[in-house]
Amino acid sequence: MPTTDRNFYLNLLHFAGAVIITCLMAMTITLLCILLKPHFPSFEVTSLTVTSMPINTTVHQKHAVTFDFQGLLENPNALLVVWYAKLHLVLWFNNSSLASLPLEPPPLSNKVQTNTPFQARFAVDTEKFPGGVLREMAAQRRAHGSVNFAITLRAWIKFKLGGLGFKPRFMSLGCSPLQVAFSPEYNDKNETGILVAPSECYAD
């Protein structure tokens, strides 16, 4: 093979090798960018039980309504750990805030946790309900056999990769409507309502 042809093929091989290496590096960088791009956790309300919901709204006496709540936080990031601080739940009916409650953040871990369960209990005196809320709840229950509530989860979160931490961000996730069904029978033994179906939450 003439020297000119040999040099041409060597240059072609070098060029092809450089193109392949460049493509591999670009693919690696793109993949790392995708894997390292922070994604906010998703949240799902898995259970909500309302106990001692008063039926007779004309009787003005102190009465505690209990809301037992369970939820599940999911980390969609493959490589990033999510650190939570100042977790807070707010319970709503229509546009009225019924109660708020701080939550214990999950323990710090260097491992990527995919699912973090939460549970909380609100015990709210009916005297502290905003005006007219009990009447609206009773009317909704009579009309539909259920009452729609909502929950907001708020927290400061920080994404971490090993010893590297990203800037903290504020997260607010709204869960609505949470349809809680009650028995159609109106008596003292049927004041408990149960969430009809799990509900996913979305950024406010």
Side-chain angles (χ1 to χ4, degrees), residues 58-94:
T58 62
V59 179
H60 298 284
Q61 60 182 3
K62 188 174 181 180
H63 186 89
V65 182
T66 303
F67 299 84
D68 287 299
F69 156 83
Q70 293 182 10
L72 190 66
L73 270 170
E74 183 175 356
N75 178 12
N77 300 282
L79 299 178
L80 299 176
V81 175
V82 181
W83 171 81
Y84 299 92
K86 297 182 181 179
L87 274 165
H88 213 86
L89 277 178
V90 184
L91 177 68
W92 303 84
F93 173 75
N94 287 342

Side-chain angles (χ1 to χ4, degrees), residues 9-10 20 24 39 47 51 55 65 71 79 95 107 119 132 137 145 147 160 168-169 191-192 194:
Y9 284 114
L10 286 175
I20 292 173
L24 289 175
H39 295 278
S47 174
T51 309
I55 298 171
V65 182
L79 299 178
N95 294 319
Q119 59 184 12
M137 288 181 182
V147 179
K160 299 180 67 177
R169 304 183 184 189
E191 294 183 346
T192 298
I194 299 174

Side-chain angles (χ1 to χ4, degrees), residues 164-187:
L164 178 64
F166 294 74
K167 183 179 178 180
R169 304 183 184 189
F170 181 72
M171 177 182 74
S172 180
L173 300 174
C175 320
S176 174
L178 301 176
Q179 184 183 6
V180 176
F182 292 84
S183 169
E185 302 269 337
Y186 282 85
N187 57 59

Side-chain angles (χ1 to χ4, degrees), residues 63-67 91 98-100 122-129:
H63 186 89
V65 182
T66 303
F67 299 84
L91 177 68
L98 304 181
S100 62
F122 298 90
V124 188
D125 291 336
T126 54
E127 292 180 341
K128 297 181 179 179
F129 281 6

